[in-house]
Amino acid sequence: MGVEKNLANLGIVTTCLDKVLNWARKNSLWPMTFGLACCALEMMVTVSARHDIARFGAEVYRGSPRQADLLIVPGTLTKKMLPMVLRLYEQMPEPKWVIAYGNCACTGGVFRTYNVIQGIDQYIPVDVYMAGCPPKPESLLTAIMMLRDKIDKESLKNRG
Amino acid sequence: MNRQEIIDRIQEKASSLTMGTSQGIDCPEVVVDKQHLIEFMKFLKEDEALSFDLISDVTAVDYPARTPRFDVVYHIFSIKNGQRIRVRVPVGDGDGVESVTCVWRGAEWLEREVYDMFGVTFYNHPDLRRILMEEDFKYHPLRKDFPLEGIEE
């Protein structure tokens, strides 16, 4: 305690690296500007003043996947759209997280048909599933809260 | 020009090209043999009284038990008269019809959709590729024998 107290007097705080990185990452989730179907409209509303996703540092929707670290998959994903989504995901730099937003992105939803992907998790790893058709903006905020808790538990030892 | 006058005009001028005319529930309906399709479509568009100048839709109907199996259905609108007409062309499985893009250029994508969904070929079409499904898709999903959930690869 004696050393830390002396450091604090010099304006220095000691902590572990995991905590600093996780604190920075979870408070600056930058989602990618990306919509697939009606869920995307709810996602846009989440940015608006009433719900204000900016309270959690996640309002900076980036136009380029290279600047984003959160991929929200909002809506029905068709087989024809899948190659583009995979390409965008692969262009995002690590560390990156994925929210499957809405029933369609989670499981294909009501579209149990030949042209719809039955869940994005068949192709890319998903961190948070959010059910709903479409889920309310509050649900997206909940998903981001869950993702923040998850990021908080991450460690450099198992994820860079 | 009302519906009955449309049918009268077709019977008067082009009865040799048609296999039958009738008054459908919503608009006049004509069945045409595929050999006479282009000639009849040109008549519909270029006849001064009829003037069917806008192609609204091209689609098809699958009758699995019937020979020939498909009906290609054209919905055409006359801006001048404010009237619609429906033209049906029977066509067999694996067969095709002449493309009407030489009459209405706007039929190009509509015919591509029919080709994609039903597997009906359109001869002399400028760019006959799939329009909705991915290019390496092997089936025609709006056929009645195609399962809704698709075929496992």
Side-chain angles (χ1 to χ4, degrees):
Chain A
M1 286 303 286
V3 180
E4 282 183 18
K5 202 169 183 182
N6 286 337
L7 285 174
N9 289 337
L10 295 169
I12 297 170
V13 177
T14 54
T15 179
C16 55
L17 190 56
D18 274 348
K19 272 194 177 159
V20 177
L21 284 178
N22 289 345
W23 171 80
R25 285 171 178 174
K26 78 174 188 180
N27 284 301
S28 63
L29 283 169
W30 286 8
M32 198 169 68
T33 310
F34 176 65
L36 288 168
C38 32
C39 286
L41 298 171
E42 299 294 309
M43 185 181 79
M44 291 174 221
V45 171
T46 318
V47 190
S48 70
R50 180 175 289 267
H51 300 284
D52 196 13
I53 201 173
R55 289 176 292 164
F56 312 108
E59 84 283 12
V60 199
Y61 277 78
R62 304 315 291 189
S64 163
R66 294 171 209 286
Q67 299 172 348
D69 53 11
L70 172 61
L71 175 64
I72 304 172
V73 184
T76 318
L77 181 61
T78 59
K79 277 190 185 152
K80 207 169 176 180
M81 190 67 190
L82 180 69
M84 292 74 147
V85 176
L86 295 184
R87 188 170 169 185
L88 288 170
Y89 177 75
E90 282 160 7
Q91 285 180 348
M92 288 166 61
E94 291 278 359
K96 55 191 170 186
W97 297 276
V98 177
I99 293 176
Y101 188 60
N103 288 351
C104 291
C106 293
T107 67
V110 294
F111 302 108
R112 200 173 169 190
T113 59
Y114 58 89
N115 59 333
V116 174
I117 299 296
Q118 304 295 306
I120 183 67
D121 57 357
Q122 293 177 16
Y123 296 92
I124 57 177
V126 174
D127 293 285
V128 180
Y129 297 85
M130 183 49 65
C133 189
K136 295 166 82 174
E138 290 90 329
S139 301
L140 182 55
L141 295 178
T142 308
I144 286 175
M145 292 299 105
M146 290 166 76
L147 187 59
R148 283 161 64 103
D149 291 343
K150 189 170 177 177
I151 293 170
D152 224 11
K153 295 192 187 84
E154 281 180 2
S155 168
L156 275 178
K157 270 182 274 177
N158 43 39
R159 184 171 191 178
Chain B
M1 197 171 213
N2 64 29
R3 288 186 199 172
Q4 193 54 48
E5 285 166 348
I6 290 170
I7 289 194
D8 292 344
R9 178 80 180 173
I10 289 168
Q11 280 172 344
E12 180 195 334
K13 292 275 179 184
S15 60
S16 62
L17 302 177
T18 67
M19 284 160 50
T21 51
S22 62
Q23 202 57 261
I25 193 167
D26 53 345
C27 66
E29 195 172 307
V30 186
V31 183
V32 181
D33 189 72
K34 65 179 179 136
Q35 273 89 23
H36 299 123
L37 177 70
I38 296 299
E39 203 181 335
F40 181 71
M41 292 307 208
K42 278 199 172 128
F43 160 74
L44 283 185
K45 189 184 179 190
E46 286 161 12
D47 184 79
E48 281 186 9
L50 293 173
S51 177
F52 280 105
D53 43 9
L54 177 77
I55 186 116
S56 308
D57 195 17
V58 180
T59 182
V61 187
D62 181 8
Y63 300 101
R66 199 189 73 175
T67 313
R69 181 171 167 179
F70 300 100
D71 266 359
V72 179
V73 184
Y74 302 84
H75 290 96
I76 312 155
F77 183 68
S78 165
I79 296 173
K80 183 178 141 200
N81 297 322
Q83 292 287 347
R84 294 178 190 279
I85 193 168
R86 180 161 50 242
V87 179
R88 304 171 79 102
V89 184
V91 53
D93 195 358
D95 200 358
V97 293
E98 199 68 24
S99 169
V100 298
T101 45
C102 57
V103 186
W104 299 280
R105 192 65 174 77
E108 180 181 339
W109 282 17
L110 305 171
E111 289 183 339
R112 277 177 67 185
E113 188 189 345
V114 174
Y115 165 73
D116 190 356
M117 294 285 121
F118 292 92
V120 175
T121 310
F122 290 89
Y123 304 121
N124 297 320
H125 188 284
D127 182 27
L128 194 65
R129 288 178 294 131
R130 286 183 179 273
I131 191 169
L132 296 172
M133 301 305 296
E134 61 269 20
E135 296 212 346
D136 56 353
F137 192 69
K138 292 197 287 266
Y139 312 100
H140 300 290
L142 281 191
R143 290 185 173 204
K144 298 275 189 203
D145 53 10
F146 184 81
L148 178 64
E149 287 170 29
I151 294 166
E152 286 288 323
E153 295 291 320

